[in-house]
Amino acid sequence: LTSPPLQINRTSHHEIHTSAASSAIWASPLNNYQRKSVNTIRSRSLSTETTWNESSLPEKIKSLDEYKVLYDFSIKDPNRFWKMAAERLDWYRFPTKIKNTEFDYRCERGVDIKWYEDGILNACYNCVDRHIEHDHSTAQQVALIFEPDTPTESRHHVTYGELLRDVKKFANVLKKHGVKKGDRVTVYMPMVVETCIALLACARIGAIHSVVFGGFSANNVAERVSDCDSKIIITSDFGVRGGKCSPLKAKIDQALKMKQCSAVNTVLVFQRNHGMPEMKDDCADLRSSLEWKDGRDFWVHEEMEKVNEICEPERMNAEDPLFILYTSGSTGKPKGIVHTTGGYLTYTNLTFKYVFDYNPGDVYMCTADVGWITGHSYAIYGPMSNRATTVIFEGVPTYPDVSRYWNIIDKHQVNIFYTAPTAIRSLMAHDDKYVTHTSRQSLKVLGSVGEPINPEAWEWYHTVVGEKRCPIIDSWWQTETGGMMITPIAHAWELEPGVATLPFFGVQTKLFDKATKKPLNPPNSGELCISDSWPGQARTLYGAHERFVDVYFKQYPNYYFTGDGCEIKENGYHHITGRVDDVLVISGHNIGTAEVEAALDHHDHVSESAVVGYPDPKKNQGMYCFVTLKDDVEETEELRKQLIKLVRDMIGAHVTPDFIHFAPNLPKTRSGKIMRRILRKIVEPDISNLGDTSTLTDPSVVDDLIKKCPRTK
Ligand code: PRX
């Protein structure tokens, strides 16, 4: 990959591999190719033999039978299936090797995952340039619709042409500041158009972006900056959410004072509403009081003036990392999940197209922040590689009122809407009139992700929001999986409330019994594993491959362990039951209990702590913290408040303990291990079902905890 960058311009277009299939999709708005290929699929119920010509993938999955034919094919011949999927992208060199993966840590090769390993492509080129090159009129198509926190604030639409210009310029700003292919770039931004520009610019020059959610504390930013050894940070002077200004650059300043960040030499700062007249007073104050270190801090709008608009995309190997995204584990520090270029982009491209049944011209909106994987895969890479028009929403569902989402849907005529159960539950708590006074006639598909959606929330979403017209796409997946894994496909089959239904193409699920570690035959419930690799899968943890193998591949040798429980029903439908490890899923955010414990233990008065979750009807789970204080420390309300604040300060404002229970003793085994199973039962509460307590050093501890626990009252 040391060859000079390929000149991509109109005259050298022939050098880009464009399959007949993909050029037909992009060049022909009539989609004749798509219709033909769908029509040639013959479902099993009609004929025992498929007449599908198997030369390219259909544009749409129309029925369960069509799904079954293609699913079987994807399992029997993954190389051919995923080769056809890769044809949806444009490659500088189309891969000759498709799948080369090993899940068994016991063999000589060890866990090793490679897809399209000799292919060469660029993710940014696939998300922006190629659409314009294939059809020049796309330069005028709106790529991003920015919906600011305050609905009355001026908003802007960004076309693919404008996006390409800005991405190229910002990529040149990065280059000017010394960023090279393979360098890690930390991104700490609000949910604005500039964040998409920043990510695509990194991808364009082959830099690896590492987005840190804007709600995380300076402490957490510092930890993530140093873990991937990033020398440059992209941020914004502030962000606005729910009418409040949040200081982003100031948090970065705080992080940069910590010694973990001593290698950072450049901070590029976007102005939140550059060129816009309106600014709230508190935001203006924040901007004027910013610390500024000359030679390190630069305003992006000033830097953009100094560069030109010529920037060829870097030729990337399919297995070159595209990004790192940190996620909470059940133990220890956050895990830097590494996704690579070719497999990730192929997988997010295909899942987005099929699952949402995205058609040219549809307006799509995903409410996830780009700080989470959903924002990466389904606000940026999936939709943009499909030439979609995407709404980027800066705010929250309840500001200025609880009709906000539905008003945005009407304002921008959104056809496909993807959100989290926690938002749905918080909105359904209000009178239905806040929904029904809006039209929502544009809606065709409604999606849900991030946590189990309870049947009541599902019904409300389906009936009140979608007026029973729109399928509910309850999609199960993870940061580690890159894209959707178990999910309905819009309009293809019958749905059941709260059931994620069937695995996506190429995904093979397997249940195991937690106690015996033996495989279970469905219908059954057990721990969910995946039997073979799919292209969107994470390849490793940044700088910690051994931990990657330990966490995901050792529990059940030769399988990827998801950490989730699942029930597979008689009809093959999958119902995800929730985490089986020490990760809490609260309002759609993954929170490692170990991280919270580490924060609590930081307090001078705390001797040890144990954090467990309990079911919560709104947030999915609540956070219950048992805290043992040091000798002679008094249990006071003030201390309780201090501990809650400490957790919020150390991790982020989205992580707030619901209960702090001062416990002089915790239930422990003779080897000194805290029995979390029992603590979970106490707070659930399910005290009639505590299980075996005989191995505890002092079983009376349990009675004391039950007496004092407010949830058992
Ligand atoms: O427990 C599952 C839950 O969220 C976890 C993954 O969280 P994260 O890596 O942050 O990615 C979230 C966005 C993909 C899973 O292990 N989860 C996610 N989607 C669902 C879900 N649980 C039930 N149903 C879902 N649809």
Side-chain angles (χ1 to χ4, degrees), residues 358-405:
Y358 185 84
N359 288 295
D362 284 344
V363 176
Y364 165 80
M365 171 168 173
C366 165
T367 66
D369 191 280
V370 86
W372 310 115
I373 190 69
T374 310
H376 284 61
S377 302
Y378 299 109
I380 300 188
Y381 290 109
M384 304 217 68
S385 66
N386 276 289
R387 207 187 64 188
T389 295
T390 304
V391 176
I392 300 288
F393 176 44
E394 184 184 34
V396 298
T398 48
Y399 178 83
D401 59 49
V402 293
S403 296
R404 190 67 206 277
Y405 278 169

Side-chain angles (χ1 to χ4, degrees), residues 328-599:
S328 298
S330 50
T331 54
K333 58 179 193 164
K335 302 175 286 192
I337 304 288
V338 176
H339 282 289
T340 58
T341 310
Y344 172 81
L345 199 63
T346 303
Y347 197 74
T348 50
N349 175 278
L350 191 70
T351 46
F352 177 80
K353 170 73 190 152
Y354 278 170
V355 171
F356 292 130
D357 186 19
Y358 185 84
N359 288 295
D362 284 344
V363 176
Y364 165 80
M365 171 168 173
C366 165
T367 66
D369 191 280
V370 86
W372 310 115
I373 190 69
T374 310
H376 284 61
S377 302
Y378 299 109
I380 300 188
Y381 290 109
M384 304 217 68
S385 66
N386 276 289
R387 207 187 64 188
T389 295
T390 304
V391 176
I392 300 288
F393 176 44
E394 184 184 34
V396 298
T398 48
Y399 178 83
D401 59 49
V402 293
S403 296
R404 190 67 206 277
Y405 278 169
W406 327 125
N407 282 329
I408 297 175
I409 287 168
D410 285 353
K411 182 164 161 190
H412 301 301
Q413 291 295 290
V414 173
N415 306 112
I416 302 165
F417 179 73
Y418 195 31
T419 193
T422 191
I424 300 165
R425 285 190 296 262
S426 75
L427 296 174
M428 71 185 273
H430 302 276
D431 198 308
D432 286 355
K433 72 174 187 220
Y434 293 105
V435 185
T436 53
H437 79 75
T438 63
S439 156
R440 289 156 288 109
Q441 284 308 304
S442 57
L443 283 175
K444 292 195 282 198
V445 176
L446 292 170
S448 164
V449 63
E451 56 195 297
I453 177 164
N454 48 312
E456 299 74 30
W458 193 101
E459 288 290 359
W460 184 82
Y461 199 28
H462 186 235
T463 313
V464 181
V465 178
E467 295 169 343
K468 299 196 174 168
R469 276 182 294 113
C470 311
I472 304 294
I473 304 301
D474 173 8
S475 54
W476 173 85
W477 57 292
Q478 309 176 299
T479 307
E480 295 85 340
T481 69
M484 302 169 189
M485 297 288 282
I486 301 176
T487 175
I489 287 183
H491 312 296
W493 54 78
E494 291 284 310
L495 304 177
E496 283 176 31
V499 177
T501 74
L502 296 167
F504 191 72
F505 301 116
V507 174
Q508 296 176 70
T509 57
K510 185 96 185 162
L511 297 183
F512 284 89
D513 182 77
K514 187 178 175 139
T516 64
K517 300 275 173 197
K518 296 243 164 70
L520 299 166
N521 287 326
N524 226 322
S525 290
E527 303 207 318
L528 177 65
C529 289
I530 312 291
S531 320
D532 200 358
S533 183
W534 62 101
Q537 173 169 34
R539 302 300 193 254
T540 189
L541 298 181
Y542 190 79
H545 192 66
E546 235 173 84
R547 187 174 174 207
F548 180 68
V549 175
D550 284 351
V551 174
Y552 303 109
F553 295 94
K554 283 213 172 145
Q555 252 90 342
Y556 298 100
N558 220 1
Y559 289 88
Y560 167 79
F561 172 57
T562 66
D564 277 308
C566 177
E567 175 199 2
I568 302 182
K569 301 174 179 231
E570 204 91 46
N571 60 2
Y573 277 16
H574 292 57
H575 168 224
I576 306 293
T577 49
R579 298 292 307 183
V580 294
D581 56 11
D582 291 323
V583 174
L584 307 181
V585 180
I586 300 183
S587 297
H589 297 146
N590 272 12
I591 298 163
T593 51
E595 270 178 88
V596 182
E597 287 163 12

Side-chain angles (χ1 to χ4, degrees), residues 198-272:
L199 266 49
L200 291 167
C202 287
R204 191 169 193 85
I205 64 169
I208 304 167
H209 55 75
S210 164
V211 181
V212 179
F213 172 56
F216 273 124
S217 66
N219 212 37
N220 273 18
V221 177
E223 190 178 22
R224 284 155 173 77
V225 164
S226 84
D227 187 80
C228 69
D229 190 22
S230 121
K231 307 214 167 29
I232 179 160
I233 297 177
I234 302 170
T235 189
S236 176
D237 43 3
F238 55 84
V240 194
R241 270 166 71 82
K244 291 195 196 90
C245 254
S246 64
L248 294 174
K249 166 71 165 65
K251 283 249 182 73
I252 294 297
D253 289 334
Q254 244 178 301
L256 291 184
K257 292 193 178 107
M258 301 177 189
K259 73 169 185 300
Q260 293 125 293
C261 290
S262 53
V264 174
N265 51 35
T266 309
V267 183
L268 297 175
V269 191
F270 279 100
Q271 271 191 355
R272 152 63 180 70

